[in-house]
Structures are given as C-alpha cells and as structure tokens.
Amino acid sequence: MRGHARGNDGGPASFVGRDAELAALRAALTERRLITLTGPAGVGKTRLARQALDPDAAGAAGPGAPGPRFPDGIHWADLAPLPGDRLLLDAVADALDLADHTPRTLAEAVRAWIRPRRLLLVLDCCEHLIGPLRLLVRDLLDAAPHLVVLLTSREPLALAGEHVLEVGPLPHEGPAGEALALFTARADAVRPGRAPAWTPSRLAAARAICARLEGVPLALELAAAQLTDHTVEELADRLSRRIGPLPGGAGDRPPRHRALRTAIGWSHEWCTPAERLLWLRLSVFGGTFDGAAARAVCSAPPLAAADVAPLLASLVAKSVVRRSPDGAGHRMLETIREYGAMWCDGIGERDVLRARHAHHFLELVRTADEDWPGPGQRGAYRGVAAAYGDICAALDHLLATEPTAALELAGRVGFFWACCGCLHVARSYLERALFAARPEDVDTAGRVRALWALGVTVLLQGEHEEAHRLAVACEALAARPDAGPGPALDAAYLLGVSHLLAGRPLAARIVADNALEAFPGTPFDSGPRLRCSLVRVFALTGTGLFADAREEAERLRAGCVERQEYWTRAYADYQLALIRLFEGRPAESAEHARAMLESKRELGDSFGTALGLDLLAAARAANGDGAGGAHAYGAGHAYWQAVGHPQRGTPELRSVREEFERTARAALGDAGYEAAFAEGVRHGQALRGRPHPG
C-alpha cells in the first residue's frame, strides 16, 4: 500500500545484453517527457526500465544518466494488479508517496503535488488501462511542466509527443546471441553447483531452444526452469516436436506471442495435476501473497492444506511463481497469472475462489483489528499494507455479493487505512458499504464501527463539522442496549477528538470521562478503551492540568512499551514532549519527540511524523539549537506537504510553533534560518522517499 510500488518483475537479478536499448532509453530520459516501452508480453520491458534506472547498474552513472534530471525522485507504480481504473489514481498517489489528508479530489491533490516538482513517474504494465491512462497522463503532463513519465505497455498511448521505444526479443542468431547468454545463465542458476557442462552438442541444443522460442526472455526463463528434471537435449527435442520444424524464411517465423504462449503452455503441461490446480487458484491474488494466504484460499478438495507449501515450492522452482524481492512472499508475473485465470474460468472455480479470497482477507483484517492494542500491532499494520490491493478486490467482491460482510471489512480496515494516509480510498469504500448494507442486516456494533471509521477519515481530511455530525450519530447508536462497550468507547473517542481539534478540551474530557466511567476497566482491555484513554490525556493537557496529564501519559506509555504497542505510545510521547516544553524542560521534550518519530516510522504515518517533527523543532530551538530546530521544521514541512495541509494538530500546538520560529530566527538570523530550513526540507523529502521498513 503506502510507499513506493516496485516493478512486477521479481525474477533473477542478473541482466543480460540490451546495450543498445539501454542507451536509447537513457538518452530519451534526458530529452523527452513521455516515453513508452512497447513490446509483446514477456519480452522484458519492466526489467529494461529497472536496469536503466538502477544507479548501481553499469552505465547508469555515465552520460545520459537520469538521476540529475529528477531531484524529486523516481516513483514507480505497478498497475498490473489493478482490474480496472477505479483505483488508478490511488496507485499513482501511492507511488508518489502522497498521503493526502484533504477533502479535495485525489486528482486535484496529485496535480497540486507534482506541479512544482522535477520527478520521474514510471507506470508499469499499462496495456489494460490504455484509455484511462491516456487521459490521466495528458492531464498530469499539462499540470506539471517538469514531470517525465515512463510507461511499459504492449501498446503505446498514442499521445502527441510520445516517444515510443520498441523492445523486441533478444537476438538469437549466430553462435553467441544474447538469447543464448540469457538461457545458459538461467540454466546455470537453476542447478547451482551442478550446472550442465556446455559441450558443443548441448550448446547446439540450447541454440535450437532459443530459436524456437524466438528469443523471448520470459519464454527462455520458463524453459530453463525445466532443467531441474530434464536435460537440455530433452528440452530441445520436446520443443521441436511441439512447434515443429523452423520455417525457412525469417518473415515466416511464428509470431512472438506464440513463442511465449508455447513456453507457458509447455510449463503448464509439465506441471503435475496438483501443481496446475494450485497455479490456477493462485491466479486470484492480484499482488504479493504469503504461504498462509495460499493455504487459506487454495486448500480445498482435492488439495489439502498440507499440500500447498510443497506444491508452491515446486512452482517457484519452475519459475511459475516468483519470490518477492524481500523474500517474505510470492507473486506471479501478470502473463502467467492471466494464463492461470483462464484455466480457472474454464473449470468454473472463479466465483467460489473469489469468495474464499474475500473471506480470507476479511479474517486477516479481523485478526489485525483484534491485535491492535498489543504486540501484534506493527505486524498488523504491515500485513494490511501489504495486502492493500487484495483487500480492495475483496471489498469489491463483497459489495456485489455480501454487503454486510463488506461493511464489516470496510469498518475494520478503515482505521488502519486512515492512519496510513489512504483517506480517499477508505472514505470511498466506507460510504459505499454503508449505502449497500441494509440496516436490518447489520448489528449495532457493526454500523457504529463503520460510521466511526468514516468519522475518523473525515476528521483527518479536515472536515470537522461533518466529523462531529458522524460522532453524534455514533454516540446515539452506541447508546442502544445491544451495542456493548466497544462502540460507546469508539464513539466517545471520535466525539472527543472532534472537540479537541475545535479547541474544546473540557468538552473532550467530559465525553471521555463519561465513557470510561460507564465501562470500568484498564486502558489495555481493548483498542476502543485505549484510544478513549488517550483522548483524556490530550484533554488534560489542553485544560492546563499538566501534572495529571503527564502522570497518565507516562502510565499509558509504560504499558505500550511493555506490550510493544506503537500507535498509542507515539501519541503518549507527543503529549509528554508538549508538556515538557510547557514546563520549560526542552531536552526531555526532544527525547520524547524523537521517540514519537521512531514509533511513527514503524507505522509509516506521514501525518504523525509531521506532528513529531514540529515538536522536535520547537524543543531544539528552546534548548538553544536554532539550526537543528530549523532543520527539523523544514523536514516536517516536507511531510506536511505530503498530507496536503499546513501545520495541524490540537490548538495548543500553534503557540509552540510560533514561539519556536521566533526563537530560531533570533538565534540564526533570517538567512541562516532559511538555509537550515531548506536543508531540512531536502532531508525530509529524502526520508519520505525511502521504502517502508520491512
């Protein structure tokens, strides 16, 4: 989800040949604003783009290197998992690391974000979205004069100014073509330590394979993967009998797509029936999946749960499934996934499989929600983030088939998405699910949970009046006898935060106290109770009761540390940093601000990071470090830009910011302050550009 999307090619890291294509692409990136790499499936467009943009690749640092042209970064959006264009803008915003917290449309937010920037946007695997992308790319290029867009697609956009570079198969004629080099390299990698000796007869067989597969890289890799069980000569013979004699004239050769189709079909034929069944069932996953997901979704008769892991390992060995770059999961290349989906449709499993897929991700989100107050929180955040595309697919399926289940999924995932900055998509699904689910089919707790998540989302977008209206509606529903404590505490949290942001801390304290007294317990009894306890701490600070607020914040923080909980711990540190500033203890304030930033880094929260950097800036300035304060303030500015808001937070933070700036400017002078601030902005942009910790 949030953070930079990677290319969809998770195959072997080595790169063979393509010197001319690399030079042409690097040259185009220095001169053109819209470049499209076209070519048939499996020809290596994604890998070529990644190689050209890799700063460590040979030639990348020489003349024509793209880096200096893009001081605001290279941003990669993998569009292969998108079934349609509804989440296209979300995918682009995610690639740009834009966590927009405003009620404007996402299109407006993306245009505003890129307008002043010099960056490269890579849109990978675009062929199924050509129409919508044509409109989007034209709009973005018009809005941002320094934007450069690179696409990989089986067909161009056909826009004015588009520079098309066709990527063909690897040369496979002659004794030492690039196709042969790729095939032998992959063959050696398949059997490390016992690779075949490349005798003249084996090289002749390898050249025959390269010729019959037309030099298509993916086809060659699939063929090389068969060497775990067969010799090169056996592969050449089998392929010769499948395709038949090579035509005499170059113009009569089989179309390139036939070569890839042959290799995929050949791999399919050489799989066991159980491997084929797992292949087609895995095609339901749009993105990365782990072993647990594969077992949950794919283990139905005749496949038992215990069968999935060894079958998955076998498909990895055959290059049908690839490990994700971090080694934590698996995925299929889109062409291979499409082949599996075709077989899935053919045997009539698609609807049943999509239902199992949707309910697996509903259960994943249920578990994440239940684990929220304790040591499972960080893993829950990362699991929900990694499954973003599949959760969206699950919601789409459930909205059409089981609206009540869709409402539960949207309500449970909404808070995670809101905290990670996916406000537009969270709001969209919550509003659709609330509309689709009939009130008589939803229990009170489920409807309160969805309204609460929508209220949090709206509040973070800055629509305080609408959020307050939703909070009042939540409170009314939660008062029903069948609601239970969780909904009442969540409603109190939302209403309390809306009071805090409106400058009514006493009202927030009354709301929180009433809810906590109505349902006695300890803060860590549940997520709703923990969040409501945090509202009370904020309210105590806002009413000037610093000693009471500090005592309760320290108690909450200690419990969070003991349980490895990060979200509440971050805001407890936020309160402690603020209180220490008010008490004239800036060094301790800075320690708590740094602790808050560490917790927010664990969760990938841009909004919380911006708040923490503002506090760190104020603490440094108050401690006599004007340059360090201005630097932190600049870094915070980069994060505030990413969420689309000027500085925000509870009203008492405003005076802290104003005092900090006066102190820092007085210490540094205007020129010194602006220089430190600008350096901080650059540092903040670099921090935001790093992948989410994994």
Side-chain angles (χ1 to χ4, degrees):
M1 190 177 60
R2 305 314 304 178
H4 299 294
R6 297 298 190 270
N8 73 344
D9 187 346
S14 59
F15 189 85
V16 175
R18 300 288 196 195
D19 291 343
E21 292 95 329
L22 282 169
L25 176 54
R26 287 172 179 152
L29 286 166
T30 66
E31 303 164 357
R32 308 280 187 158
R33 295 191 62 209
L34 175 59
I35 306 110
T36 302
L37 297 178
T38 65
V43 82
K45 302 180 291 295
T46 296
R47 190 171 294 173
L48 178 65
R50 292 174 66 183
Q51 185 73 7
L53 299 173
D54 184 353
D56 298 323
R69 191 181 179 190
F70 310 119
D72 293 307
I74 296 172
H75 303 263
W76 193 297
D78 177 12
L79 305 184
L82 300 184
D85 65 340
R86 198 174 59 79
L87 294 174
L88 175 57
L89 264 173
D90 295 278
V92 171
D94 187 29
L96 295 170
D97 203 18
L98 173 61
D100 186 60
H101 280 57
T102 70
R104 60 186 170 176
T105 68
L106 192 54
E108 292 170 335
V110 170
R111 283 195 298 269
W113 173 250
I114 65 171
R115 185 171 292 120
R117 289 176 166 78
R118 297 176 179 270
L119 60 85
L120 171 65
L121 175 61
V122 184
L123 303 174
D124 190 25
C125 298
C126 301
E127 49 275 344
H128 60 308
L129 298 169
I130 288 295
L133 271 173
R134 186 178 294 119
L135 299 175
L136 175 61
V137 169
R138 184 172 56 199
D139 188 31
L140 294 181
L141 289 172
D142 287 345
H146 305 297
L147 173 68
V148 177
V149 180
L150 170 63
L151 296 91
T152 73
S153 175
R154 297 176 201 174
E155 61 177 294
L157 292 182
L159 282 175
E162 181 179 20
H163 184 67
V164 178
L165 292 174
E166 184 173 354
V167 183
L170 292 170
H172 55 82
E173 297 175 346
E178 291 179 353
L180 180 62
L182 176 65
F183 179 80
T184 55
R186 298 296 183 261
D188 290 344
V190 163
R191 303 180 67 179
R194 47 194 188 94
W198 292 106
T199 63
S201 63
R202 285 177 179 152
L203 282 173
R207 279 192 288 270
I209 291 170
C210 294
R212 286 184 168 85
L213 293 179
E214 292 279 311
V216 175
L218 178 55
L220 295 173
E221 291 182 12
L222 289 170
Q226 303 299 332
L227 291 176
T228 54
D229 302 309
H230 304 278
T231 68
V232 180
E233 292 86 352
E234 287 172 342
L235 294 185
D237 179 65
R238 178 74 175 265
L239 191 56
S240 174
R241 285 186 280 112
R242 183 181 178 93
I243 293 182
L246 286 172
D252 297 331
R253 288 183 177 172
R256 290 161 186 168
H257 71 269
R258 179 183 167 191
L260 179 57
R261 192 78 168 184
T262 295
I264 296 175
W266 189 25
S267 295
H268 190 261
E269 286 180 9
W270 279 10
C271 287
T272 66
E275 290 168 350
R276 294 176 198 168
L277 183 58
L278 182 59
W279 179 344
L280 72 86
R281 288 180 177 175
L282 289 173
S283 69
V284 75
F285 293 103
T288 301
F289 55 89
D290 60 16
R295 284 192 302 276
V297 175
C298 303
S299 58
L303 295 184
D307 298 331
V308 172
L311 290 171
L312 183 58
S314 182
L315 290 177
V316 170
K318 289 180 167 67
S319 290
V320 173
V321 174
R322 302 194 176 192
R323 295 192 183 278
S324 57
D326 62 6
H330 302 81
R331 69 175 301 154
M332 286 181 171
L333 294 185
E334 186 62 16
T335 310
I336 294 175
R337 195 185 72 82
E338 288 172 357
Y339 192 88
M342 177 190 72
W343 280 93
C344 185
D345 290 341
I347 68 171
E349 273 208 3
R350 181 174 180 80
D351 290 342
V352 173
L353 197 61
R354 287 194 66 193
R356 286 207 303 269
H357 172 274
H359 280 276
H360 165 72
F361 285 101
L362 173 56
E363 189 58 38
L364 181 147
V365 171
R366 279 177 184 155
T367 302
D369 191 28
E370 291 164 2
D371 288 347
W372 189 87
Q377 186 185 84
R378 181 175 61 169
Y381 265 93
R382 294 183 180 185
V384 168
Y388 172 76
D390 281 296
I391 291 172
C392 289
L395 279 164
D396 289 334
H397 178 76
L398 293 174
L399 281 167
T401 59
E402 300 178 63
T404 303
L407 185 66
E408 181 186 357
L409 178 52
R412 289 185 184 275
V413 80
F415 186 68
F416 286 94
W417 280 353
C419 291
C420 293
C422 301
L423 300 180
H424 291 275
V425 72
R427 184 170 184 171
S428 173
Y429 275 118
L430 284 162
E431 289 176 342
R432 291 167 63 200
L434 283 162
F435 178 80
R438 299 187 306 175
E440 61 269 26
D441 294 336
V442 182
D443 62 15
T444 299
R447 184 160 288 276
V448 171
R449 182 171 51 235
L451 281 172
W452 168 76
L454 179 60
V456 171
T457 302
V458 169
L459 192 67
L460 287 172
Q461 288 184 312
E463 295 187 50
H464 293 175
E465 290 185 7
E466 176 64 10
H468 188 78
R469 185 189 69 78
L470 288 166
V472 171
C474 281
E475 187 180 48
L477 273 177
R480 293 181 178 178
D482 62 332
L489 291 164
D490 269 339
Y493 166 81
L494 178 58
L495 188 57
V497 174
S498 72
H499 282 314
L500 287 170
L501 293 177
R504 299 188 293 267
L506 181 58
R509 180 183 172 185
I510 292 170
V511 167
D513 284 350
N514 287 342
L516 291 168
E517 289 169 7
F519 302 100
T522 68
F524 292 92
D525 286 347
S526 69
R529 187 171 183 85
L530 184 57
R531 289 187 287 263
C532 200
S533 300
L534 184 64
V535 169
R536 174 176 160 79
V537 173
F538 272 70
L540 288 169
T541 302
T543 53
L545 299 173
F546 298 144
D548 292 342
R550 184 176 65 252
E551 181 181 348
E552 294 199 21
E554 288 173 345
R555 190 181 306 124
L556 276 184
R557 187 186 190 280
C560 292
V561 170
E562 180 184 348
R563 292 166 177 81
Q564 300 177 56
E565 193 273 1
Y566 288 89
W567 188 86
T568 310
R569 174 181 173 178
Y571 285 112
D573 273 313
Y574 171 87
Q575 284 296 292
L576 289 167
L578 196 58
I579 292 165
R580 288 308 192 190
L581 264 182
F582 290 145
E583 293 177 336
R585 303 172 77 168
E588 293 178 35
S589 175
E591 289 180 10
H592 285 295
R594 282 191 290 267
M596 177 193 183
L597 290 170
E598 180 59 26
S599 294
K600 287 302 182 183
R601 186 189 71 84
E602 292 288 340
L603 302 179
D605 180 355
S606 293
F607 181 81
T609 299
L611 286 172
L613 284 166
D614 278 3
L615 269 178
L616 179 61
R620 284 178 172 175
N623 204 37
D625 182 8
H631 187 277
Y633 198 45
H637 181 73
Y639 280 87
W640 285 118
Q641 286 182 312
V643 301
H645 278 299
Q647 290 87 346
R648 290 177 61 197
T650 50
E652 59 268 18
L653 188 56
R654 188 179 306 117
S655 62
V656 169
R657 291 185 180 115
E658 292 170 354
E659 177 63 26
F660 141 72
E661 187 167 4
R662 284 194 296 269
T663 302
R665 282 188 182 275
L668 299 173
D670 287 343
Y673 177 90
E674 295 299 338
F677 179 87
E679 177 59 31
V681 171
R682 289 190 289 272
H683 182 64
Q685 291 169 340
L687 286 174
R688 289 185 54 257
R690 293 176 187 170
H692 187 278

